[in-house]
Amino acid sequence: MSLERASLNQYTTKPLSLIEAADACVRHGIPAIGVWRDKLAAVGLPTARRELAARDLRVSSVSRGGFFPGRDAATRRANREENLRAIEETAALGAQVLVLVCGPTLGTNIGDARAQIAEGIDVLVPHARAAGVLLGIEPLHPMLVAERSAVTTLAEANDLVARIGAQDVVGVVIDAYHVFWDARLEAELERASGTIFGYHVADWTTPHGAPDIAAARALMGEGYIDLATLGGWVTRAGYRGPVEVEVLNTRLWAGDQEQLLREVVTRFERYVAPSVLVSN
Amino acid sequence: MSLERASLNQYTTKPLSLIEAADACVRHGIPAIGVWRDKLAAVGLPTARRELAARDLRVSSVSRGGFFPGRDAATRRANREENLRAIEETAALGAQVLVLVCGPTLGTNIGDARAQIAEGIDVLVPHARAAGVLLGIEPLHPMLVAERSAVTTLAEANDLVARIGAQDVVGVVIDAYHVFWDARLEAELERASGTIFGYHVADWTTPHGAPDIAAARALMGEGYIDLATLGGWVTRAGYRGPVEVEVLNTRLWAGDQEQLLREVVTRFERYVAPSVLVSN
């Protein structure tokens, strides 16, 4: 099995700088990296461009745009400016996709948050199109609705994509960890065909959540997610792009990162690569 | 505002025995109680019947039936026997509804679990009908898919109800805590009209989950759930039955239960009762 489709989302190895993570990718034969903006800022855009190019590493995505909801117009305007900067950085890195984590509910008003998310994405469309950047709406697990994203299912993300009506620019990112539980997943993946802009893998273990539900993901094959079936559905829906390993886990961050990368590679080859093979 | 529709799910006051919880209901003017089978077993069915009748307390529901999936036929048979006993106990207590927590995924096979759940409920239908007991499928929050329930959305529960096709006996139980995040909730509540067999309230706070995601619920009004809107939708869908306060929370269990009950009453009157008022 091959690492051809593999990408390391750099938050899997959060203790490493962007350059260190890039070196690790080269060392372990991973041809692409998912970049986070805080890590990018730490090294600076010119250095990042130069160093990634020197290593011939592709950038599979930039995390993250989004966080559209705000309690007042000034906050929402600031959010928009931040998203425009994120689009520029994504283009400057030669990355195709800016991942949108759409932002949390505002108090009890999930409906308001959802309306502001739709409006927020809509405004970005011409800018993204001009920059040649795809905007990938990533539905997050419903347990994160109050803290991270009011967009909680692929159905809802697909509805948003249809409503915005700019499928050349606005699509979805599928993260196995966030969507695996959904009884309508297969049907919604089929519906998303042509607008899947990314596929992320991790696993889900129990007891879940401690100590931090936002950073309790497991390595592929450790838990309950049927990555073989899910990868098949994503592939059948026509997705042929990079597959990012994105395992946010406080325990793994505290451990040896070289050992972690060896595990990532072995588990990608075993649990992910066969499922995204395209038969001829 | 009134407590007319209120019920105390006894796991809100888990440290109390069934008799102690019943006394607390009387003391605080709550006319109904949601009984758990472990608490029932501790006091015994004959005593429970007599003591609840003596206090003129209605039993709004019995928790819980379900847990249908099993790795082999013998386990599934044992699960069925357990559910038949739960139906008998529900009837013996004069409770209308047995709450079904349908059971977790089996390893990575969510699909298998879902098929076994559908089959498991189907088999119970004639027994429930004969006993005059309603079976309420409660979709649980997707974060509990691997540990408690492969039925994670009201859409999925509604699909199950339609597929089983015994709407005089098999319907759904709506728990605000489990479903509030769902963008399709209003539409699915409308679809559930006529088969809503219960409504439970609690709240969702952040950071969520610690130390135990299964027992981290908050009191009504403390968090992110728009109970006013949700109660309105449930009422518009035709539900007129008891509204159970079900707040599973390890911190509250460790505190003073009388104080907790005073809070439950005050918050029910403020955040729940107005939303389930039926206008004439």
Side-chain angles (χ1 to χ4, degrees):
Chain A
M1 290 302 135
S2 142
L3 294 177
E4 195 186 322
R5 299 274 299 278
S7 174
L8 176 73
N9 182 292
Q10 73 167 123
Y11 257 39
T12 300
T13 54
K14 196 178 175 190
L16 304 185
S17 73
L18 180 53
I19 310 298
E20 290 167 341
D23 279 336
C25 284
V26 172
R27 224 165 28 243
H28 293 272
I30 301 170
I33 187 167
V35 170
W36 277 65
R37 293 185 66 217
D38 59 329
K39 298 287 186 181
L40 178 62
V43 62
L45 186 56
T47 304
R49 280 171 57 112
R50 189 182 63 237
E51 297 295 324
L52 291 169
R55 286 163 182 79
D56 203 21
L57 259 188
R58 282 183 296 131
V59 178
S60 50
S61 75
V62 171
S63 291
R64 54 199 189 190
F67 282 84
F68 299 104
R71 287 183 193 282
D72 52 57
T75 308
R76 293 196 292 279
R77 202 156 44 235
N79 293 349
R80 179 161 66 244
E81 295 304 316
E82 194 57 42
N83 275 295
L84 293 175
R85 276 191 292 278
I87 288 171
E88 282 167 27
E89 290 173 9
T90 305
L93 283 177
Q96 270 214 310
V97 184
L98 176 64
V99 176
L100 300 182
V101 171
C102 288
T105 63
L106 301 164
T108 61
N109 297 306
I110 305 188
D112 282 4
R114 286 175 174 145
Q116 292 179 15
I117 288 166
E119 195 199 335
I121 298 172
D122 206 46
V123 169
L124 299 181
V125 166
H127 303 276
R129 191 177 279 135
V133 165
L134 300 175
L135 303 174
I137 300 168
E138 181 174 327
L140 297 203
H141 194 286
M143 70 186 177
L144 295 167
V145 66
E147 289 151 300
R148 296 280 196 288
S149 174
V151 178
T152 55
T153 62
L154 181 53
E156 195 184 345
N158 281 339
D159 287 349
L160 253 177
V161 169
R163 177 174 162 189
I164 292 166
Q167 283 86 337
D168 60 317
V169 179
V170 179
V172 298
V173 168
I174 310 299
D175 187 313
Y177 176 86
H178 290 303
V179 301
F180 78 100
W181 54 270
D182 188 348
R184 300 203 168 172
L185 187 55
E186 184 179 8
E188 292 295 335
L189 281 168
E190 202 181 316
R191 188 177 157 217
S193 183
T195 54
I196 300 177
F197 294 166
Y199 176 41
H200 298 181
V201 292
D203 211 334
W204 177 281
T205 46
T206 59
H208 196 78
D212 175 2
I213 56 170
R217 305 185 198 187
L219 290 166
M220 300 82 78
E222 287 188 321
Y224 288 85
I225 303 182
D226 182 358
L227 289 169
T229 299
L230 180 46
W233 290 343
V234 170
T235 305
R236 203 141 58 238
Y239 182 68
R240 299 290 182 268
V243 180
E244 279 189 28
V245 176
E246 186 180 38
V247 182
L248 280 52
N249 183 304
T250 46
R251 187 181 47 78
L252 293 175
W253 290 336
D256 178 68
Q257 302 298 292
E258 272 301 290
Q259 170 57 28
L260 171 57
L261 276 154
R262 282 192 293 271
E263 278 248 43
V264 162
V265 165
T266 308
R267 288 173 175 277
F268 188 91
E269 290 176 331
R270 175 157 179 200
Y271 296 106
V272 183
S275 74
V276 296
L277 269 185
V278 180
S279 52
N280 293 307
Chain B
M1 290 303 134
S2 142
L3 294 177
E4 196 185 324
R5 299 273 299 277
S7 174
L8 176 73
N9 182 292
Q10 74 167 123
Y11 256 39
T12 300
T13 54
K14 196 179 175 190
L16 305 186
S17 72
L18 179 53
I19 311 297
E20 289 167 342
D23 279 336
C25 284
V26 172
R27 225 166 28 243
H28 292 272
I30 300 170
I33 186 165
V35 170
W36 278 65
R37 293 184 68 216
D38 60 330
K39 298 288 188 181
L40 178 62
V43 62
L45 186 56
T47 304
R49 279 172 58 113
R50 189 181 62 235
E51 297 296 324
L52 292 169
R55 286 162 182 79
D56 205 21
L57 260 190
R58 282 182 297 131
V59 178
S60 50
S61 74
V62 171
S63 291
R64 55 200 187 187
F67 283 85
F68 299 104
R71 285 184 197 280
D72 52 58
T75 307
R76 294 197 292 279
R77 203 157 41 236
N79 293 350
R80 181 161 66 242
E81 294 303 316
E82 194 57 41
N83 275 294
L84 293 176
R85 277 192 291 278
I87 289 172
E88 282 167 27
E89 291 173 8
T90 305
L93 283 176
Q96 270 214 309
V97 184
L98 175 64
V99 176
L100 300 184
V101 172
C102 289
T105 62
L106 302 165
T108 61
N109 298 305
I110 306 190
D112 283 3
R114 285 173 175 147
Q116 292 179 14
I117 287 166
E119 194 199 335
I121 298 173
D122 206 47
V123 168
L124 298 182
V125 166
H127 302 276
R129 192 177 278 136
V133 165
L134 299 175
L135 303 175
I137 300 168
E138 181 174 328
L140 296 203
H141 195 287
M143 71 185 175
L144 296 168
V145 67
E147 290 152 300
R148 296 280 197 289
S149 175
V151 178
T152 55
T153 62
L154 181 53
E156 195 185 344
N158 281 339
D159 287 350
L160 253 179
V161 169
R163 176 173 163 189
I164 292 167
Q167 282 87 336
D168 60 317
V169 179
V170 179
V172 298
V173 168
I174 310 300
D175 188 311
Y177 176 86
H178 290 302
V179 300
F180 77 100
W181 53 270
D182 186 349
R184 301 203 167 171
L185 187 55
E186 184 180 8
E188 291 295 336
L189 280 168
E190 202 181 315
R191 188 177 157 217
S193 183
T195 54
I196 299 177
F197 295 165
Y199 176 41
H200 298 181
V201 292
D203 212 334
W204 177 281
T205 47
T206 58
H208 196 77
D212 174 2
I213 55 169
R217 306 187 197 185
L219 290 166
M220 301 83 77
E222 288 189 319
Y224 288 84
I225 304 183
D226 182 358
L227 289 169
T229 298
L230 180 45
W233 290 343
V234 170
T235 304
R236 204 141 58 239
Y239 182 68
R240 300 290 182 269
V243 180
E244 279 188 29
V245 176
E246 187 179 39
V247 182
L248 279 53
N249 184 303
T250 46
R251 188 180 47 79
L252 293 175
W253 289 335
D256 178 68
Q257 301 298 292
E258 272 300 289
Q259 170 57 27
L260 171 57
L261 277 153
R262 282 192 293 273
E263 278 248 45
V264 163
V265 165
T266 308
R267 288 174 176 277
F268 188 92
E269 289 176 330
R270 176 157 178 200
Y271 295 106
V272 183
S275 73
V276 296
L277 269 184
V278 181
S279 53
N280 293 305

